[in-house]
Amino acid sequence: MDKKELILTSEGRQKLVDELTWREGEKHEEIVERLKEARGFGDLSENSEYDAAKEEQSQNESRINEIRQILATAKVVEHMAGELTVSIGTKVKLIDDKGKTNTFTIVGTTETDSLAHKISNESPAGAELIGHVVGDSIEFATPAGKTKHYTITEITR
C-alpha cells in the first residue's frame, strides 16, 4: 500500500513536538497519579475510575505513537526568500468576482483548521492555488459543487 507523503510547515512540526513533550511528560504523570488513586479504591474489577484512567492512558499512548510516526515520516517545507509562488506555509489573499476578499494559509493535511482559515494543499482550493503567483486567476469546484473564481492579490509568509 502506497502511503501519501505528509507535509508540515515548520510551525506545524513544532506544535507536534510540543504536544509530544506534554503527552510524554505532564500528561503521562497526571495519568499515573490517577491510576495510583484508583488502585487505592480497592477491587479493580468494578472500579470505574481505574477503567477510565486506563482508557485515557491507552488513548495518550496511541496519540504519542501517532505523533512519533508523523514526525519520523513527514516532510517539513522550508521556504526560500524571494519565492513568490503559492506553496505550503504561504498566506494567500484572494478576491472574488464580486470584490469580496478572503485570506487563507496553505498547510499540510494534518494542520487544516477552517476556523483559522488554514486550508489543506490537497483541498480543491489549496490544490488549485499551489504554484500560482500574484495576479493569477483560479477556478475550482467546492465540495457542494459550486464553481468559485478568484484572483490572487497577495502572497506572504
Side-chain angles (χ1 to χ4, degrees):
M1 187 168 124
D2 190 29
K3 283 194 168 190
K4 271 202 258 184
E5 180 178 49
L6 283 175
I7 300 173
L8 294 172
T9 60
S10 55
E11 296 83 15
R13 183 188 183 286
Q14 188 57 50
K15 282 175 69 175
L16 286 173
V17 168
D18 293 345
E19 181 183 351
L20 182 62
T21 300
W22 173 74
R23 286 186 176 278
E24 290 178 329
E26 185 180 325
K27 180 74 172 172
H28 174 76
E29 292 303 317
E30 175 189 313
I31 294 169
V32 167
E33 284 304 310
R34 285 187 51 212
L35 284 168
K36 283 181 188 175
E37 281 180 35
R39 279 190 196 106
F41 296 144
D43 184 10
L44 298 181
S45 65
E46 296 181 13
N47 187 328
S48 62
E49 288 88 358
Y50 182 78
D51 291 342
K54 286 298 281 183
E55 177 65 24
E56 186 175 3
Q57 181 182 41
S58 173
Q59 290 173 354
N60 192 51
E61 290 301 317
S62 291
R63 180 63 180 153
I64 286 171
N65 289 332
E66 179 184 17
I67 293 170
R68 285 181 180 159
Q69 181 67 28
I70 290 169
L71 291 174
T73 59
K75 178 181 177 187
V76 178
V77 180
E78 298 297 333
H79 300 285
M80 297 179 290
E83 186 180 68
L84 295 174
T85 60
V86 177
S87 60
I88 292 178
T90 56
K91 189 176 279 191
V92 184
K93 191 173 192 176
L94 307 167
I95 188 166
D96 68 13
D97 297 336
K98 297 175 185 168
K100 184 180 177 207
T101 61
N102 285 301
T103 303
F104 299 105
T105 302
I106 310 297
V107 296
T109 55
T110 60
E111 298 175 72
T112 302
D113 181 354
S114 60
L115 296 177
H117 301 282
K118 292 182 176 185
I119 61 172
S120 165
N121 63 310
E122 295 178 12
S123 69
E128 185 60 36
L129 284 164
I130 297 290
H132 284 278
V133 296
V134 172
D136 282 357
S137 291
I138 62 149
E139 181 179 299
F140 63 92
T142 67
K146 289 186 175 183
T147 300
K148 297 281 191 172
H149 303 274
Y150 288 102
T151 301
I152 301 170
T153 60
E154 186 179 337
I155 302 170
T156 58
R157 301 229 178 317

